[in-house]
Structures are given as structure tokens and as C-alpha cells.
Amino acid sequence: MGLVLQHVTKQFGSFVAVDDVTLSIPKQRMFGFLGANGAGKTTTFRMILGLLEPTKGEITWNGERITYKHSHLIGYLPEERGLYPKLKVKEQLIYLGRLRGLHKEEIVKEMRDWLERFKIPQYEDQKVEQLSKGNQQKIQFIAAVLHRPQLLILDEPFSGLDPVNVEMLKEAVIDLQKKGTTIVFSSHRMEHVEQLCEHICIMHKGKPIVHGSIKELKRSFGKKNVIIHGELPFDTLIHIPGVIKMEKTVEGVRLQIADESVSQHILEHIYSKGFIRTFSLEEPSLNDIFIEKVGAAYEQ
Amino acid sequence: MSNKFWIVFLHTYVTKLKSKSFLISTIVTALIVFGISQLDRIIEAFSNDGQKTIGVIDETNGWYEALQAQFQTNKETSLVRHDGSEEQAKTYVQTDQWYAYIVLDVQNAQPKVTYYAKNIADSDVTHEIEQALQQVKIAMMAKQIGLTYEQINALYAPIAMEKVALEQHAKTEEQLNQARAIVYVLLFAMYMFVLMYGSMMMMEVATEKSSRIMEILISSISPIQQLFGKILGIALLSLTQFILIFSVGYASMKNSDMLRQLIGMDELPLSLILYGILFFLLGYLLYAMSFAVLGSIVSRVEEVQQMAGPVTMLVVAAFIMAMFGLNAPESPFMTAMSFVPFFTPMIMFLRIGMLNVPTWEIVLSIGLLVGTIAFLFVFGSKVYRGGVLMYNQASSWKDLKQAWQLTKK
């Protein structure tokens, strides 16, 4: 069961924002949506939440269409961050929590646990506008998970956070998944998606161009990477048959090759040409797959 | 009504009630109302600067005594005969011993007066002198002609005109004056409150939208419920403030002669007050809904005023027409306007207060108004649903259409 999207299409006038998406996200999974700005991620999320009506197709959670009756089961962190600037953290969370069907006492208890976990218990009685952006984001995350939702939708949860806070939030997300929450999130930071998800969907111009498990995707991708560090003349490497791309790094080069066997030719070629510090054969990164599939350079 | 509706309703009400701006605006308005109701006492307190002495240089024969008699009962001004030089009189005024002095002369039986004071801005005193002299003149002339006191009185007796309306239930003169005062006060209150709370509504929606909390809200509660909770929460807030200010006004006016006479507080027509509250609430709903819908398509708080402009103009237009209508409530123009839903709350209320409006007209106008509100709710809540998800560079009324399309399949 879990979350099922069947042939979901959304049109705004003549513009097709989401084009025939069919996906099935089993319960307790962590599912990542990748895509450039305007790829249709947020529109898809808004349709899952029932904020927008799909032009065609159907979205169900455990076999039922999602309506406001289910809002206590669902948590949402929108891409555009915002809270009431003039309200205190506590008042804010109580209001938002009650709208998700919680009682005041439960909210306060749950809120204190989370504030403690994020190391900001001192902000309970402060107005949101006095908090730093990162801390506001933590409060918003708390608002999304306060009611222990079954399905948690996070739109770009890590954008704008410093590395320490990103780690803190990642741990929290992983914990929630372990406790049984189904998590759908979008990001354009490949490494976050790679670390957190088993399953992904790459969206491009409203279409899901790739989806499946990351392991599977990497295996079927075929191409691999060779990393070489050392003092060598690298320029000729690009002419070796099977080398697709060469990228210079600080210590050497990173080559994309058509398949594993090419690596042996490269090794023969550079052997005795100079000092080799590192020579390694690696799996393709998600970024390689993304660039290949979307066919465009993408901001890292 | 669901549980969540009440959460939004109470949250809106309590948060606004506790806010500093509400507290300050209530206190300031209550003070102003209190001040106006106590105006006569305040003026009295300030003008209590003792008697004003006015010197009189009398160059006539016997006019001073008559003039003096006129001022006998006047507590604020007293006359003093001055037989010295005019130079001396000037010094008295300059040293504040006297407030002013006059030189009184008679030529061809007509009094001729020159008034000297430090400044001539105080028209009260000159007016008093003029009036008193007029009386003296009449008395003097009458004596010359040989009229008796009774004859003079008969000559100046006011004409007794009684106005009788032939229509049954038409309002009597006294009732009309009273109604005019009450209608004026309530119209003004309506105008203030609709504008104030209508734009509060719009700000509220625009702030939630621009602070981007809207998306969280409408993922947990349907936008329609959220909108209703907000509109009614603010309606309750405005009623709270209205009652607070009204109580202060009523309590302080009970002890004030001036306004009691003006309004006739002893017999406040209850039906008129009830109509006032009904039209106030309907008017608020109509305008609050319009403002809320406009607020939902605004992307930034700074654009609120610009978008609100046309709707604000409607409120202002209704108020100006109503002010004009206070003196001509029966004009065909006013009758026509009282059926235009955006003007009905003020103008129909004015007509009910001033005239004897047939019941069917009242029912029809309220029906049209309620119908318009219902239409606005249906149309508006669709636009609102789409509007809150929409972020444009610059907002315009065209966005209404775009917001409408956003909610379609």
C-alpha cells in the first residue's frame, strides 16, 4: 500500500506542470525526488497533500484518497519557509499542532523533547522573528513532525542550513523513518539524497525520467568512474577508447568510462609515465546519473 | 462546524485581542468618545478664567444703563462705565485689567460702537455686545414710538409652526432629529469599523501568505474553514471593541446634558439599534470577504494598500452618499442606491432611520445583500484557495482569474 500515484497529471492552462507520474512508495520508505527548479516536485507534493486537484489520475494513501480528514496523519515542510514572526515558538507550535488534531498537553511535551534534541530549549518563549534562520527552520521542522505523522513530506528540508544543522536534521529524519514514518523528500543536493534514500525519482519538466532503487540505477547505468591522483601527463588520457569524459581535480583527474574494462587500458597507459598516488575504480555517483539523464549541468 | 474552525476562530480572536495595537486603539477611541461626551464640561473647565471686564465710554444719553441691565445676568462678562480718557482705557486693556473697552455713540437714533481689545479673535464677546445692543436699541426705539412692553413682545413673538406628517407612522420632528443624530453616530461607527477591520482582515491574510505560513495552515485545515474562522474571529473582535467603546460612550453620556439632549438618550429606539447591528454585521461580512479575497492574491504585504484601493473607495463612496442623504433621505437617488449591495448597509440603514420604509423594500435590500455575500463566499473561497498558493512578482486584479484557474482540475 503506502503512497500510490497513478497517472497523475497537472495542467495549468496549457502548461503541463506534472506529466503522467505513476509511482508507488511503500510504507516506511525514504523516497527522494530530484529535479531542477520547475521540474514539478512542489506541484506533485501539493497534489499529494490535496492542496491542488490533479487534472488526471489519482493519489491514494493506504488505498484512500487524501483529504483534510487525514491531515493528522500527514506532516508537511514546505519549500518556502515561514512562521508567524510575531508569535512565540510555543504559541506557534500549539496552534499548528492543534490544527493537526493534537491536544495542548501533548504538544508541549512533544515540543520540549524536540527543542531539547535540537539543542534550542531556551527559545521556547521567544518570538520567532528573534531566531536565526537556521533555528526558525528547526522550529518549522518540529511543526511538521509534532503530531507523529505516518507520511512526512519534506520539500527541500536542508536548504539554507549549515553543515552541523544539516547533520542534526538528517539524524532526526533517519530516526523518524526507523520509527515507521514514510518520508518523501525533495532536494537538489545529490549527496543528501544518496545518503538517505534507497529509492529515488528524477523529475524533468514534469516527467519522471528515472525512478527506482539507487543501487539498481547505478548498476544499470553501466558507466563507471576512474580516479587518478599523481604527477602525470593527463592530457592524452581522453584519447583512450572508452573514456567519455575527463574532469581535472586538484590532485589529478576524474574520468568517466564506458565500462569496467576500460580502466585496465588506462592503467597500462599511465604505468611508468610518472608517480601514481591513487588509482581507483568507483561506482557512478547520483550526480553522474542525474546529469546524464537530465542532460544539463546542474548546480551542486 | 468542525473543531478546526473553532481553533482558527479562537486563535484569531485571542491573538488579536492580546495584541498591543488592539489595546491602544481601544483605549484611544474610548478616550475620544469620553472626551466628546464630556465636551461641555471640558470647555467649561478651560474657560473658567474669571469674569471679563469691559470698559464702556458712553457718549450717549442713557444707553449705558440699559446696556448694563442686559448684562446683569451674565456671569462671564461685566461692564464698567469709564469716564476717564480713552488713553487711560487703552492702558487698562494693555495691563489686562480690562478685557476690552467700547466707545458707544448714537447717531440718528442708531447706536455706533467701536470695540477695542488686544485681539479681536474672540467673537463670543463681540457677539454678546451686539446682541445686547440690539435689545437696547429695540427698547429705545419702542419707547420713542410709544409702544408698550406687551406690544414689543407681540411684535417679536416667534411664529408657532407645527409640522404634521400626514402619512401614518411617519416620524415626528422630534423623532427625526433624534434619529438623525443616532444614524449619524452609527453610520460613522460603521464606516470606521468596516474600514478598520476590513483592512485588518486583508493584512492578516496577506501576512500569513507572505510569511509563507499559509501553506502549512492549508495543509492541515481547508482554506474555506480557515477563511471563515478568520472572518468570524475578527468580527467577534470588532464587536468586542464596539461594545467596549459603546459602553464607555453610554456611561459617560448618561451624565452629560449636552448629548442627552441631542440624542434623547432617554428613549433610544431599540429597533434602530438592532437594524444598526444587523447592517453593521452584513456590511462587515461583505467587505471583509472582499478584502480577504484580495489579500489572498497579494504576494507581498506592501501591495496590500494598492490592491485594497477600489474596495476602500466603495466604502468611502457609501459613507459620503450617506452623509449627503442625511439631509435628503427621500431622494430617488438614495432610494436607488439603497438597493446596491455594496451601499445597502449604510444607505438602507439611513433610510430606515430617517423615513418610514416599506417592509418589502427592507426585505428586498437585505435579500440582495445576503445574496451578494453568499456569491462572494462561493466565488471568493475558490479564488482564496488558489490565491494563497500563488506567488507573483507584482499583483494585480488579473490575478483573480489566475487564482480561480489554479483551483480547477
Side-chain angles (χ1 to χ4, degrees), chain B residues 281-334:
Chain B
L281 282 179
L282 289 176
Y284 166 77
L285 282 180
L286 181 76
Y287 282 104
M289 190 67 205
S290 315
F291 279 123
V293 169
L294 288 180
S296 77
I297 60 170
V298 165
S299 299
R300 278 169 298 144
V301 176
E302 298 82 56
E303 290 169 346
V304 163
Q305 287 311 320
Q306 182 199 337
M307 289 292 277
V311 181
T312 310
M313 288 309 288
L314 279 180
V315 187
V316 175
F319 184 66
I320 290 173
M321 277 193 265
M323 287 298 107
F324 161 76
L326 271 176
N327 294 318
E330 74 284 12
S331 75
F333 177 71
M334 295 313 274

Side-chain angles (χ1 to χ4, degrees), chain B residues 114-134:
Chain B
T114 319
Y115 174 81
Y116 298 90
K118 266 186 168 171
N119 65 67
I120 51 171
D122 189 347
S123 62
D124 276 0
V125 176
T126 49
H127 190 67
E128 272 172 12
I129 296 171
E130 253 179 78
Q131 285 221 311
L133 273 174
Q134 185 73 28

Side-chain angles (χ1 to χ4, degrees), chain A residues 246-265:
Chain A
M246 184 168 81
E247 210 182 292
K248 290 203 170 157
T249 62
V250 182
E251 293 175 282
V253 287
R254 184 168 174 273
L255 303 167
Q256 192 179 50
I257 55 175
D259 63 75
E260 279 184 356
S261 62
V262 180
S263 64
Q264 298 313 303
H265 300 306

Side-chain angles (χ1 to χ4, degrees), chain A residues 10-13 42 46 49-55 65 68-69 71-72 74 76-85 87 91-92 95-96 98-101 127 140 143 155, chain B residues 3-12 15 18 20 204 207-208 210-213 215-223 226 230 385-386 388-391 405-409:
Chain A
K10 181 68 194 177
Q11 285 183 312
F12 297 116
T42 299
R46 284 176 171 180
L49 291 160
L51 301 183
L52 291 172
E53 193 95 5
T55 312
R65 287 187 65 178
Y68 284 108
K69 257 187 282 170
S71 73
H72 63 285
I74 296 167
Y76 178 41
L77 179 71
E79 180 181 12
E80 301 286 357
R81 298 298 134 69
L83 292 163
Y84 289 108
L87 280 192
E91 296 170 327
Q92 189 116 224
Y95 180 48
L96 295 174
R98 290 187 65 201
L99 284 178
R100 292 279 188 195
K127 284 186 182 169
Q140 220 180 9
D155 204 350
Chain B
N3 195 18
K4 287 183 187 173
F5 164 82
W6 292 110
I7 296 171
V8 174
F9 174 76
L10 282 176
H11 175 83
T12 308
T15 321
K18 283 196 297 188
K20 271 189 203 126
E204 181 86 340
T207 311
E208 277 181 355
S210 69
S211 74
R212 313 276 173 153
I213 195 163
E215 217 166 319
I216 304 184
L217 292 178
I218 60 170
S219 69
S220 28
I221 172 170
S222 91
Q226 193 249 357
K230 224 162 228 325
R385 260 188 75 184
V388 291
L389 289 176
M390 210 169 60
Y391 290 99
Q405 277 170 345
L406 210 55
T407 57
K408 281 201 295 203
K409 272 201 167 192

Side-chain angles (χ1 to χ4, degrees), chain B residues 16-179:
Chain B
K16 288 275 156 200
L17 194 68
K18 283 196 297 188
S19 73
K20 271 189 203 126
S21 59
F22 178 80
L23 196 71
I24 292 170
S25 76
T26 310
I27 290 176
V28 168
T29 320
L31 278 179
I32 291 172
V33 168
F34 183 76
I36 291 173
S37 68
Q38 302 295 325
L39 206 57
D40 48 348
R41 289 171 195 212
I42 294 172
I43 290 173
E44 214 171 275
F46 274 103
S47 60
N48 200 9
D49 49 4
Q51 264 196 338
K52 286 172 183 162
T53 309
I54 297 189
V56 181
I57 300 176
D58 187 15
E59 292 171 0
T60 66
N61 188 13
W63 279 60
Y64 174 75
E65 282 71 23
L67 193 60
Q68 171 68 33
Q70 288 289 329
F71 275 91
Q72 209 78 71
T73 51
N74 195 323
K75 283 180 192 145
E76 280 159 27
T77 320
S78 68
L79 299 186
V80 175
R81 185 199 282 275
H82 181 63
D83 294 325
S85 70
E86 210 175 320
E87 282 310 310
Q88 204 182 351
K90 266 186 197 147
T91 339
Y92 284 152
V93 173
Q94 251 135 25
T95 55
D96 282 326
Q97 265 178 284
W98 290 351
Y99 184 76
Y101 76 89
I102 54 173
V103 179
L104 185 60
D105 195 6
V106 177
Q107 285 174 1
N108 304 330
Q110 293 291 338
K112 190 174 171 293
V113 198
T114 319
Y115 174 81
Y116 298 90
K118 266 186 168 171
N119 65 67
I120 51 171
D122 189 347
S123 62
D124 276 0
V125 176
T126 49
H127 190 67
E128 272 172 12
I129 296 171
E130 253 179 78
Q131 285 221 311
L133 273 174
Q134 185 73 28
Q135 294 294 322
V136 174
K137 187 182 113 181
I138 290 166
M140 289 295 195
M141 299 280 261
K143 212 157 81 181
Q144 247 178 20
I145 308 167
L147 290 178
T148 65
Y149 186 67
E150 283 74 25
Q151 281 169 320
I152 298 171
N153 269 355
L155 203 57
Y156 279 94
I159 290 151
M161 187 206 269
E162 197 182 342
K163 294 172 195 167
V164 178
L166 286 180
E167 215 176 303
Q168 237 182 353
H169 308 303
K171 298 202 158 63
T172 63
E173 185 70 13
E174 192 191 345
Q175 277 176 324
L176 263 183
N177 281 335
Q178 196 179 317

